[in-house]
Amino acid sequence: MTETDPTLRTVAHNVRAARLRAGLSLEELSRRAVVSKGALVGLEKAQGNPNLATLVRLADTLGISVSALMQGAAEGRVRIVDEASVHPLWTGERGSQARLMLTTSGPAPVEVWRWTLQPAEEYPSHPHQAGVVETVSVTAGRMTLTVDGTEHPVEAGQTATFDADLPHTYRGTGPTPCHLIMTVHLPPGPIGGTA
């Protein structure tokens, strides 16, 4: 995201609104989310370039989904999202990418992500709040999913699911890029009771 990116302006508005709804000062949100106060001030002014880890920590702390931080008002009953219209939230040094395509509405929302993992590139994720479940469906290539220190190979045509309140890492394996669809199932109501 860049400073002129409309998505950054939406994130800025949504972070501030969620922080105020939760009754948190900038200092308290900074402390709870382990994000510097300066970065939060900049983010609420639509400045800077927050990375995926920062957005996940803020969303978890505020009791909302990452996509709730990024999405504007609902556009109608049916929403079709083109991958080319969604900026990656994470890009690896070797060209891997993660794109948050959309989030379903309702009391227990689901985030839908598209990932490409280049061979030998990995993304380590911090543990999410209790009740968050991730499902990974590999559509091409191979990956290794590591959950709480245990490696699990996942190949094209296979799907894995796990409780995401443990440390977990996604790594591309094999000679070709791994393509996958990830869903993040969020528990009903505010995560962690902070919102």
Side-chain angles (χ1 to χ4, degrees):
M1 285 182 277
T2 64
E3 290 183 19
T4 58
D5 189 336
T7 303
L8 183 57
R9 289 191 298 275
T10 299
V11 170
H13 174 269
N14 291 343
V15 166
R16 179 173 168 71
R19 177 177 65 79
L20 294 175
R21 274 194 311 273
L24 298 174
S25 66
L26 283 166
E27 293 84 5
E28 185 62 15
L29 178 56
S30 170
R31 184 187 68 74
R32 289 185 186 185
V34 192
V35 174
S36 76
K37 182 180 174 189
L40 283 176
V41 169
L43 179 58
E44 286 193 6
K45 292 181 178 178
Q47 299 171 344
N49 190 16
N51 63 29
L52 178 56
T54 298
L55 293 174
V56 169
R57 285 195 307 273
L58 288 170
D60 281 350
T61 302
L62 292 166
I64 58 178
S65 67
V66 172
S67 60
L69 291 178
M70 302 188 64
Q71 293 183 137
E75 298 172 4
R77 289 181 177 247
V78 176
R79 193 167 30 138
I80 299 173
V81 180
D82 187 286
E83 182 177 8
S85 70
V86 178
H87 297 289
L89 287 179
W90 171 71
T91 302
E93 292 180 3
R94 297 180 182 189
S96 297
Q97 294 185 341
R99 296 172 192 262
L100 177 56
M101 300 302 295
L102 59 84
T103 299
T104 62
S105 58
V110 176
E111 296 177 348
V112 179
W113 293 78
R114 283 187 179 268
W115 285 70
T116 300
L117 291 169
Q118 296 297 332
E121 189 157 40
E122 68 178 33
Y123 179 81
S125 179
H126 78 285
H128 300 291
Q129 297 291 330
V132 175
V133 175
E134 292 190 11
T135 301
V136 179
S137 296
V138 175
T139 60
R142 292 185 298 207
M143 68 171 289
T144 297
L145 169 66
T146 304
V147 179
D148 201 25
T150 302
E151 292 188 350
H152 306 274
V154 187
E155 299 184 4
Q158 294 182 322
T159 299
T161 189
F162 61 97
D163 294 332
D165 60 351
L166 299 167
H168 50 284
T169 302
Y170 318 102
R171 184 176 71 245
T173 55
T176 60
C178 176
H179 297 276
L180 60 103
I181 304 294
M182 175 195 299
T183 57
V184 180
H185 305 262
L186 304 167
I191 299 173
T194 59

mmCIF file of all heavy atoms in Angstrom, residues 1 6 8 12 17 41 50-51 70 115 119 126 136-137 142 158 167 177-178:
data_model
loop_
_atom_site.group_PDB
_atom_site.id
_atom_site.type_symbol
_atom_site.label_atom_id
_atom_site.label_comp_id
_atom_site.label_asym_id
_atom_site.label_seq_id
_atom_site.Cartn_x
_atom_site.Cartn_y
_atom_site.Cartn_z
ATOM 1 N N MET A 1 0.841 -1.185 0.000
ATOM 2 C CA MET A 1 0.000 0.000 0.000
ATOM 3 C C MET A 1 0.881 1.240 0.000
ATOM 4 O O MET A 1 1.893 1.277 0.668
ATOM 5 C CB MET A 1 -0.884 0.014 1.235
ATOM 6 C CG MET A 1 -2.020 -0.953 1.173
ATOM 7 S SD MET A 1 -3.106 -0.888 2.612
ATOM 8 C CE MET A 1 -2.215 -1.924 3.738
ATOM 9 N N PRO A 6 -6.153 4.178 -2.182
ATOM 10 C CA PRO A 6 -7.466 4.268 -1.533
ATOM 11 C C PRO A 6 -7.641 3.218 -0.439
ATOM 12 O O PRO A 6 -8.335 3.449 0.546
ATOM 13 C CB PRO A 6 -8.455 4.039 -2.679
ATOM 14 C CG PRO A 6 -7.706 4.204 -3.935
ATOM 15 C CD PRO A 6 -6.260 3.997 -3.625
ATOM 16 N N LEU A 8 -5.372 2.242 1.650
ATOM 17 C CA LEU A 8 -4.737 2.769 2.855
ATOM 18 C C LEU A 8 -5.667 3.759 3.555
ATOM 19 O O LEU A 8 -5.770 3.760 4.778
ATOM 20 C CB LEU A 8 -3.398 3.422 2.528
ATOM 21 C CG LEU A 8 -2.600 3.946 3.723
ATOM 22 C CD1 LEU A 8 -2.336 2.852 4.741
ATOM 23 C CD2 LEU A 8 -1.290 4.559 3.257
ATOM 24 N N ALA A 12 -7.039 3.276 7.291
ATOM 25 C CA ALA A 12 -6.885 4.344 8.280
ATOM 26 C C ALA A 12 -8.220 4.641 8.963
ATOM 27 O O ALA A 12 -8.301 4.712 10.194
ATOM 28 C CB ALA A 12 -6.342 5.603 7.613
ATOM 29 N N ALA A 17 -11.863 3.949 13.613
ATOM 30 C CA ALA A 17 -13.242 3.679 14.038
ATOM 31 C C ALA A 17 -13.293 2.486 14.997
ATOM 32 O O ALA A 17 -13.974 2.529 16.023
ATOM 33 C CB ALA A 17 -14.132 3.432 12.819
ATOM 34 N N VAL A 41 -0.180 6.290 14.688
ATOM 35 C CA VAL A 41 -0.532 7.678 14.340
ATOM 36 C C VAL A 41 -0.459 7.854 12.828
ATOM 37 O O VAL A 41 -1.374 8.397 12.194
ATOM 38 C CB VAL A 41 0.370 8.678 15.082
ATOM 39 C CG1 VAL A 41 0.195 10.089 14.525
ATOM 40 C CG2 VAL A 41 0.083 8.657 16.582
ATOM 41 N N PRO A 50 1.722 -0.331 6.208
ATOM 42 C CA PRO A 50 1.629 -1.426 7.181
ATOM 43 C C PRO A 50 1.787 -2.782 6.503
ATOM 44 O O PRO A 50 1.244 -3.007 5.426
ATOM 45 C CB PRO A 50 0.230 -1.262 7.771
ATOM 46 C CG PRO A 50 -0.539 -0.542 6.725
ATOM 47 C CD PRO A 50 0.447 0.360 6.024
ATOM 48 N N ASN A 51 2.543 -3.672 7.139
ATOM 49 C CA ASN A 51 2.703 -5.007 6.574
ATOM 50 C C ASN A 51 1.607 -5.931 7.099
ATOM 51 O O ASN A 51 0.815 -5.558 7.959
ATOM 52 C CB ASN A 51 4.112 -5.554 6.852
ATOM 53 C CG ASN A 51 4.401 -5.725 8.329
ATOM 54 O OD1 ASN A 51 3.507 -5.966 9.138
ATOM 55 N ND2 ASN A 51 5.657 -5.593 8.697
ATOM 56 N N MET A 70 -9.856 -3.517 5.944
ATOM 57 C CA MET A 70 -9.523 -3.120 4.577
ATOM 58 C C MET A 70 -10.720 -2.823 3.692
ATOM 59 O O MET A 70 -10.570 -2.201 2.657
ATOM 60 C CB MET A 70 -8.695 -4.226 3.927
ATOM 61 C CG MET A 70 -7.435 -4.506 4.709
ATOM 62 S SD MET A 70 -6.369 -5.607 3.840
ATOM 63 C CE MET A 70 -6.003 -4.616 2.418
ATOM 64 N N TRP A 115 -2.856 -17.347 -2.255
ATOM 65 C CA TRP A 115 -1.422 -17.315 -1.999
ATOM 66 C C TRP A 115 -0.669 -17.953 -3.160
ATOM 67 O O TRP A 115 -1.136 -18.921 -3.759
ATOM 68 C CB TRP A 115 -1.078 -18.127 -0.751
ATOM 69 C CG TRP A 115 -1.431 -17.497 0.547
ATOM 70 C CD1 TRP A 115 -2.684 -17.297 1.054
ATOM 71 C CD2 TRP A 115 -0.531 -17.010 1.532
ATOM 72 N NE1 TRP A 115 -2.605 -16.717 2.298
ATOM 73 C CE2 TRP A 115 -1.287 -16.538 2.619
ATOM 74 C CE3 TRP A 115 0.861 -16.942 1.618
ATOM 75 C CZ2 TRP A 115 -0.713 -15.995 3.762
ATOM 76 C CZ3 TRP A 115 1.442 -16.408 2.753
ATOM 77 C CH2 TRP A 115 0.660 -15.936 3.816
ATOM 78 N N PRO A 119 9.266 -21.631 -4.551
ATOM 79 C CA PRO A 119 10.052 -22.688 -3.927
ATOM 80 C C PRO A 119 11.014 -22.124 -2.871
ATOM 81 O O PRO A 119 11.687 -21.116 -3.114
ATOM 82 C CB PRO A 119 10.822 -23.306 -5.101
ATOM 83 C CG PRO A 119 9.939 -23.039 -6.285
ATOM 84 C CD PRO A 119 9.332 -21.683 -6.018
ATOM 85 N N HIS A 126 2.309 -15.396 13.272
ATOM 86 C CA HIS A 126 2.177 -15.485 14.733
ATOM 87 C C HIS A 126 0.847 -16.166 15.064
ATOM 88 O O HIS A 126 -0.067 -16.197 14.244
ATOM 89 C CB HIS A 126 2.270 -14.089 15.361
ATOM 90 C CG HIS A 126 1.014 -13.285 15.248
ATOM 91 N ND1 HIS A 126 0.602 -12.695 14.078
ATOM 92 C CD2 HIS A 126 0.062 -13.004 16.163
ATOM 93 C CE1 HIS A 126 -0.542 -12.073 14.276
ATOM 94 N NE2 HIS A 126 -0.900 -12.241 15.532
ATOM 95 N N VAL A 136 -6.216 -24.676 4.373
ATOM 96 C CA VAL A 136 -5.341 -24.426 3.229
ATOM 97 C C VAL A 136 -5.614 -25.495 2.177
ATOM 98 O O VAL A 136 -5.490 -26.691 2.463
ATOM 99 C CB VAL A 136 -3.859 -24.469 3.656
ATOM 100 C CG1 VAL A 136 -2.949 -24.243 2.466
ATOM 101 C CG2 VAL A 136 -3.577 -23.458 4.747
ATOM 102 N N SER A 137 -6.007 -25.068 0.959
ATOM 103 C CA SER A 137 -6.241 -25.994 -0.154
ATOM 104 C C SER A 137 -5.226 -25.693 -1.249
ATOM 105 O O SER A 137 -5.253 -24.606 -1.845
ATOM 106 C CB SER A 137 -7.656 -25.834 -0.715
ATOM 107 O OG SER A 137 -8.610 -26.188 0.265
ATOM 108 N N ARG A 142 3.498 -27.761 -4.344
ATOM 109 C CA ARG A 142 3.574 -28.370 -3.010
ATOM 110 C C ARG A 142 3.998 -27.323 -1.993
ATOM 111 O O ARG A 142 4.698 -26.362 -2.319
ATOM 112 C CB ARG A 142 4.628 -29.480 -2.987
ATOM 113 C CG ARG A 142 4.284 -30.680 -3.808
ATOM 114 C CD ARG A 142 5.309 -31.754 -3.619
ATOM 115 N NE ARG A 142 6.626 -31.290 -4.071
ATOM 116 C CZ ARG A 142 7.586 -32.061 -4.516
ATOM 117 N NH1 ARG A 142 7.424 -33.352 -4.554
ATOM 118 N NH2 ARG A 142 8.733 -31.567 -4.903
ATOM 119 N N GLN A 158 -4.810 -31.488 -2.146
ATOM 120 C CA GLN A 158 -4.987 -31.764 -0.720
ATOM 121 C C GLN A 158 -5.379 -30.496 0.028
ATOM 122 O O GLN A 158 -5.018 -29.391 -0.377
ATOM 123 C CB GLN A 158 -3.706 -32.337 -0.106
ATOM 124 C CG GLN A 158 -3.341 -33.708 -0.636
ATOM 125 C CD GLN A 158 -2.105 -34.270 0.036
ATOM 126 O OE1 GLN A 158 -1.158 -33.547 0.331
ATOM 127 N NE2 GLN A 158 -2.120 -35.574 0.279
ATOM 128 N N PRO A 167 1.811 -21.144 16.716
ATOM 129 C CA PRO A 167 2.708 -20.635 15.681
ATOM 130 C C PRO A 167 2.603 -21.520 14.434
ATOM 131 O O PRO A 167 2.534 -22.752 14.550
ATOM 132 C CB PRO A 167 4.103 -20.756 16.310
ATOM 133 C CG PRO A 167 3.878 -20.919 17.769
ATOM 134 C CD PRO A 167 2.523 -21.535 17.939
ATOM 135 N N PRO A 177 6.204 -23.046 -8.293
ATOM 136 C CA PRO A 177 5.438 -22.310 -7.283
ATOM 137 C C PRO A 177 4.235 -23.103 -6.792
ATOM 138 O O PRO A 177 3.635 -23.874 -7.530
ATOM 139 C CB PRO A 177 4.987 -21.041 -8.024
ATOM 140 C CG PRO A 177 5.947 -20.893 -9.153
ATOM 141 C CD PRO A 177 6.325 -22.291 -9.548
ATOM 142 N N CYS A 178 3.895 -22.884 -5.533
ATOM 143 C CA CYS A 178 2.717 -23.485 -4.929
ATOM 144 C C CYS A 178 1.600 -22.442 -4.940
ATOM 145 O O CYS A 178 1.808 -21.303 -4.507
ATOM 146 C CB CYS A 178 3.017 -23.919 -3.495
ATOM 147 S SG CYS A 178 1.580 -24.566 -2.617
#
